[in-house]
Amino acid sequence: LESLIVDSAALTSALDSRAPDVSALIHNVDLMMGAIGRQSASLSSALTELPGFMRTFNTTAVNLRSTLDDLDPLVNASKPVAKKLQPFAANLRGFANDAVPAIRDLDRIVHAPGKANDLIDLTRLQIPLGKIAAGPVVRNGASREGAFPATTSSLEGGLPQLAFFRPYVTNEAISGWFDDFSGVSGFWDANGGSSRISTTFNAFTLSTPTPSLPQLVGAILAGPVPINQVFDPINGLLQLNKRKRCPGSNERDPGDGSTPFTDHGTLDCDPTQVPTGP
């Protein structure tokens, strides 16, 4: 009894020394109990639904227990790796600190006050752009296919033309057109850069016989030449309709029949149409 009285006196003295804190505690407990009392209806509803929740959670907990058992091998295997990751985590902390300005700038790129000035606005613009790309869209009072279907149709329609031009890509004229829109792009051989030039006058070219150029010059100097002598299909000074030359026809045959290229006769070209000269 003496010990009880002594301890009670010590407790009373301790409480008296913390009287403001005890008063604040009692006041805060009073506020808490009042708030709980005002939510009595919600608490009653929660207590009513608690048994069903606990039954559902029981099933979840049972399944979670088996999941945790399955994770044990992963955790055990990760322990040695986790120790090795400590230096990486230390460096990652420094990287995270240095990345703060970049993240701040990225935040301004993603979202900024105003209109049409950030990534969110750009994403929203993709919706009408996607509709135009996929189609169909109504333009100029008519329903029209989208940009992607139109591009697909254009590429499919252009395949025959591309297939026709493909064998000619090594010719100077075609490569020059794609390269710099010049007449002859040239090529390289053992002596360096060089180009081959063939004399072509618009829709006609010099005839195949070698003396045709001197004949043409002499005819021009001598005076007017009858038109039938100029454009005669066999013996004329100028030849017409040289419009179906085969790829490589500007190159002279080295003797192995490799030029002009006809792809075993499958190309729609005339291998007899070659430039003037030996």
Side-chain angles (χ1 to χ4, degrees), residues 112-118 121:
K115 296 182 179 180
N117 61 350
D118 55 34
D121 296 331

Side-chain angles (χ1 to χ4, degrees), residues 1-274:
L1 180 59
E2 180 182 0
S3 177
L4 174 62
I5 293 174
V6 173
D7 292 341
S8 298
L11 174 62
T12 303
S13 300
L15 292 176
D16 181 65
S17 64
R18 305 296 297 271
D21 296 334
V22 174
S23 299
L25 173 63
I26 295 174
H27 177 71
N28 292 334
V29 170
D30 179 65
L31 294 178
M32 180 187 71
M33 298 306 295
I36 293 175
R38 288 190 295 271
Q39 297 294 329
S40 58
S42 300
L43 289 173
S44 176
S45 176
L47 292 174
T48 302
E49 297 178 359
L50 183 60
F53 166 76
M54 294 303 296
R55 284 192 293 269
T56 304
F57 177 75
N58 183 52
T59 303
T60 304
V62 172
N63 296 334
L64 182 61
R65 187 184 304 116
S66 60
T67 302
L68 293 176
D69 293 337
D70 294 338
L71 287 176
D72 285 342
L74 175 62
V75 173
N76 295 332
S78 301
K79 289 179 180 179
V81 180
K83 295 179 180 179
K84 296 180 179 180
L85 286 177
Q86 290 179 354
F88 171 77
N91 295 330
L92 183 62
R93 186 180 298 110
F95 168 76
N97 293 332
D98 295 338
V100 171
I103 297 299
R104 189 182 297 113
D105 294 339
L106 182 61
D107 178 68
R108 288 194 291 266
I109 294 174
V110 173
H111 177 68
K115 296 182 179 180
N117 61 350
D118 55 34
L119 189 59
I120 295 177
D121 296 331
L122 179 62
T123 303
R124 290 172 179 168
L125 291 175
Q126 305 310 306
I127 298 177
L129 180 62
K131 293 180 180 179
I132 294 176
V137 293
V138 177
R139 289 293 183 272
N140 299 327
S143 178
R144 307 178 188 278
E145 61 181 352
F148 285 169
T151 302
T152 302
S153 300
S154 176
L155 292 175
E156 291 177 348
L159 284 178
Q161 289 77 14
L162 292 176
F164 174 80
F165 278 119
R166 185 173 61 179
Y168 290 88
V169 295
T170 56
N171 280 23
E172 291 87 347
I174 297 296
S175 60
W177 185 79
F178 281 107
D179 176 57
D180 49 16
F181 295 95
S182 64
V184 178
S185 183
F187 54 89
W188 287 84
D189 59 13
N191 296 320
S194 60
S195 296
R196 184 184 296 278
I197 300 175
S198 61
T199 305
T200 303
F201 300 94
N202 199 6
F204 52 81
T205 184
L206 294 175
S207 57
T208 302
T210 304
S212 58
L213 181 57
Q215 290 178 6
L216 178 61
V217 174
I220 293 175
L221 295 177
V225 182
I227 192 67
N228 60 341
Q229 295 183 16
V230 176
F231 294 107
D232 184 82
I234 300 176
N235 299 317
L237 300 177
L238 301 177
Q239 295 181 350
L240 298 175
N241 301 322
K242 297 294 184 178
R243 298 190 293 262
K244 297 187 67 176
R245 293 183 177 179
C246 296
S249 61
N250 283 344
E251 297 295 330
R252 300 306 183 263
D253 186 0
D256 57 1
S258 58
T259 58
F261 177 71
T262 64
D263 197 12
H264 305 290
T266 60
L267 297 182
D268 185 17
C269 62
D270 186 357
T272 64
Q273 295 184 6
V274 294

